[in-house]
């Protein structure tokens, strides 16, 4: 756990940096920490019992490639806490229990995804969901204008005008 905490200590220094600079920082500072974690993991896997601690070591081994991706790409975060926090409302809300069918659950998942995408780029989910009524009549070529990001650009242009 102390080694993992060291990974997090590298992050604040690169928070405002460009992705390539952050990547270089991580390769220099975080990669050696990951090597130390791997050595510790290998040592533990030979000595711990298969229950509790053994399960944690096995989980770390199974997730090892995913754990290292943040070093390879400076755009990635060190963890997926942000994504898990966004899903918390879905898990707690339980509206999916009343979807009625698999198709209903699929539609609910689509709505949750759209609302969360809008929230992340600071577009009103309500305004964007109203925009979706235009899909049937919107020309096919500029259909990206109706995505949350495309709509944000459209809103930005109108606000500037």
């Amino acid at each position: 756990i102390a080694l993992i905490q060291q990974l997090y200590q590298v992050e604040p220094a690169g928070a405002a940096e460009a992705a390539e600079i952050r990547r270089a920082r991580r390769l220099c500072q975080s990669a050696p920490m990951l090597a130390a974690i791997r050595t510790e993991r290998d040592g533990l896997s030979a000595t711990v019992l298969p229950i509790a601690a053994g399960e944690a070591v096995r989980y770390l081994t199974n997730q090892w490639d995913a754990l290292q991706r943040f070093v390879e790409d400076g755009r990635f975060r060190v963890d997926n806490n942000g994504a898990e926090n966004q899903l918390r409302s879905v898990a707690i809300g339980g509206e999916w229990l009343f979807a009625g069918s698999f198709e209903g659950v699929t539609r609910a998942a689509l709505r949750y995804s759209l609302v969360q995408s809008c929230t992340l780029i600071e577009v009103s989910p309500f305004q964007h969901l109203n925009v979706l009524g235009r899909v049937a009549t919107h020309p096919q070529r500029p259909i990206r204008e109706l995505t949350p990001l495309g709509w944000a650009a459209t809103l930005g242009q109108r606000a500037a005008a």
Side-chain angles (χ1 to χ4, degrees):
I1 292 176
L3 291 170
I4 293 170
Q5 287 175 337
Q6 291 176 14
L7 288 174
Y8 282 91
Q9 291 171 357
V10 173
E11 293 305 302
E17 296 173 338
E20 278 305 310
I21 295 170
R22 191 176 311 112
R23 178 181 177 273
R25 175 188 298 277
R26 289 173 175 172
L27 283 171
C28 190
Q29 295 177 5
S30 298
M33 291 176 205
L34 286 170
I37 291 170
R38 181 183 345 181
T39 301
E40 187 70 26
R41 178 202 69 189
D42 293 345
L44 285 171
S45 66
T47 60
V48 297
L49 294 174
I51 54 173
E55 289 177 19
V57 171
R58 195 168 32 261
Y59 180 80
L60 177 59
T61 301
N62 292 339
Q63 300 299 320
W64 188 251
D65 290 338
L67 174 64
Q68 297 183 78
R69 287 198 183 105
F70 81 100
V71 174
E72 300 163 1
D73 191 328
R75 296 173 300 168
F76 296 165
R77 295 186 176 179
V78 70
D79 57 37
N80 67 343
N81 288 345
E84 289 189 11
N85 286 338
Q86 292 171 21
L87 288 172
R88 184 168 288 124
S89 65
V90 176
I92 291 172
E95 290 86 4
W96 52 271
L97 290 172
F98 305 104
S101 65
F102 182 75
E103 290 79 19
V105 171
T106 303
R107 283 189 217 101
L110 178 61
R111 283 192 300 270
Y112 277 120
S113 178
L114 283 170
V115 167
Q116 204 54 42
S117 294
C118 289
T119 302
L120 287 172
I121 60 174
E122 299 178 353
V123 167
S124 164
F126 181 74
Q127 285 180 349
H128 183 262
L129 290 173
N130 284 333
V131 167
L132 294 180
R134 298 181 185 184
V135 169
T137 59
H138 199 75
Q140 184 178 1
R141 189 169 295 261
I143 199 74
R144 289 181 183 219
E145 293 174 356
L146 299 183
T147 65
L149 197 56
W151 186 246
T154 303
L155 283 175
Q157 291 172 357
R158 285 187 188 158

